[in-house]
Amino acid sequence: MSWCSVCREVSQNLVFVNRDTVLWDALADLPGRERERVGLNSAKIRERLDRLVRRGLWPQDFP
């Protein structure tokens, strides 16, 4: 999923990721119940990512 917080456009595609690749989890710091609730709704995931960007907490570099 690609999300632009400025223009509020989303683009979603499925991609192949090797099993040994570790992906950054933007929802990792949420409590279990909230994480489950947000994870069930792609709009809520985008809202969560927007908040991270506004707070400057989005990772600058990806491995």
Side-chain angles (χ1 to χ4, degrees):
M1 180 175 83
S2 175
W3 171 246
C4 176
S5 294
V6 176
C7 60
R8 305 202 48 87
E9 291 184 15
V10 65
S11 173
Q12 296 177 327
N13 292 300
L14 293 176
V15 297
F16 174 78
V17 177
N18 288 324
R19 289 179 185 223
D20 59 346
T21 302
V22 177
L23 300 175
W24 178 71
D25 185 355
L27 306 177
D29 63 334
L30 290 176
R33 183 169 247 167
E34 185 178 355
R35 178 185 172 94
E36 182 179 329
R37 183 178 57 83
V38 170
L40 295 175
N41 185 322
S42 63
K44 290 182 189 249
I45 291 174
R46 291 191 303 268
E47 290 170 9
R48 169 73 176 158
L49 296 177
D50 274 345
R51 283 194 301 275
L52 290 175
V53 169
R54 285 193 303 268
R55 294 177 186 162
L57 299 175
W58 186 259
Q60 298 301 313
D61 297 315
F62 291 96

